[in-house]
Every structure is written in structure tokens, then in C-alpha cells.
Amino acid sequence: MSDCLFCKIAAGEIPSKKVYEDDLCYAFCDINPQAPTHFLVVPRAHIQSVSAVTEENAPVVGHIFAVIARLSEELGFAGSGYRVVSNIGEAGQQTVPHLHFHVLAGRDMTWPPG
Ligand code: 5GP
Ligand code: ZN
């Protein structure tokens, strides 16, 4: 999508601090980190949110979770634990309408989230 912040970041048109990339997804540090480690993983293809996941586009979501699991090992926080969050829509406090998974690590999380 031409006018989407995360499409542009994934395409390298807007700079970001890259954590990982492949043909299907791009991971980069959140500009406003909420934990010592806080990065976002997005599909390169524009999908608005979890609500727009279908049987057809769902494989990229599985791929992203496999990437997160691998990065959690490589970056050393798999053992201590971490959180993956996806906000959806207005009440879910989604501010960027391109599917993204927050990966937060490096501190104890609280429950329930606010
Ligand atoms: P949401 O609120 O939609 O769940 O998450 C959007 C996230 O994107 C927020 O945590 C916010 O800090 C991050 N963000 C917004 N704009 C930018 C940007 O231009 N660059 C980066 N790296 N992160 C951004
Ligand atoms: Zn997009």
C-alpha cells in the first residue's frame, strides 16, 4: 500500500533499525521502546491487522512466529521469557494500520495489560 508507514519501512523507504529481514517479513526496533528489547515484526505484504488475516494470507503469520522464536534464541531471551502482542483496531489501541507483532523482552511483564 503506497501510503502506509510500515509498508514504507519494510521497503526501506523510511529508515529504521533493522533486527531481521527476509522475503516475507521485516523486523525493526520500535521507535518508542516499552522494554529493554522491543521490536516489531511486520509482513512485507500489506495486511491491516489480525482482523484481516485469512486462510490465504495466514501462512505469513506462521512464518513470522517461527522467525520470532528463532530470534528469541539468537538474541538470548527465549529462556527468560518474553511477550508478543498485536493490537487490533481502535479499542485495541492499534495506531499503525499494518499488521505488526510487538516483541517485548528484558523485563518482567505485568498482567493484565492496560
Ligand atoms: P501499535 O500502537 O499500532 O500497536 O504499534 C505501533 C508501534 O509503532 C508503536 O509502538 C510505535 O512506537 C511504533 N512506531 C510508530 N511510528 C514508528 C516509526 O516511524 N518507526 C518505528 N521504528 N516505530 C514506529
Ligand atoms: Zn502497509
Side-chain angles (χ1 to χ4, degrees):
M1 209 171 103
S2 59
D3 197 27
C4 168
L5 175 62
F6 286 177
C7 279
K8 288 180 177 169
I9 286 179
E13 293 165 15
I14 291 176
S16 64
K17 196 171 164 203
K18 182 176 86 173
V19 173
Y20 172 84
E21 69 177 327
D22 62 28
D23 288 351
L24 295 176
C25 69
Y26 184 73
F28 57 103
C29 294
D30 196 294
I31 206 167
N32 182 23
Q34 301 301 312
T37 296
H38 183 180
F39 60 86
L40 305 171
V41 191
V42 305
R44 289 193 185 278
H46 183 84
I47 299 171
Q48 178 135 343
S49 74
V50 167
S51 285
V53 174
T54 63
E55 294 293 346
E56 286 68 38
N57 64 23
V60 73
V61 177
H63 173 71
I64 283 173
F65 274 83
V67 165
I68 290 170
R70 196 163 75 237
L71 289 174
S72 75
E73 295 287 349
E74 288 174 7
L75 299 175
F77 56 79
S80 51
Y82 59 103
R83 184 167 288 172
V84 179
V85 175
S86 194
N87 298 322
I88 298 133
E90 202 176 329
Q93 303 294 315
Q94 182 180 10
T95 59
V96 179
H98 178 126
L99 177 65
H100 52 283
F101 295 94
H102 295 257
V103 180
L104 300 132
R107 67 168 169 84
D108 289 340
M109 304 296 152
T110 58
W111 192 263

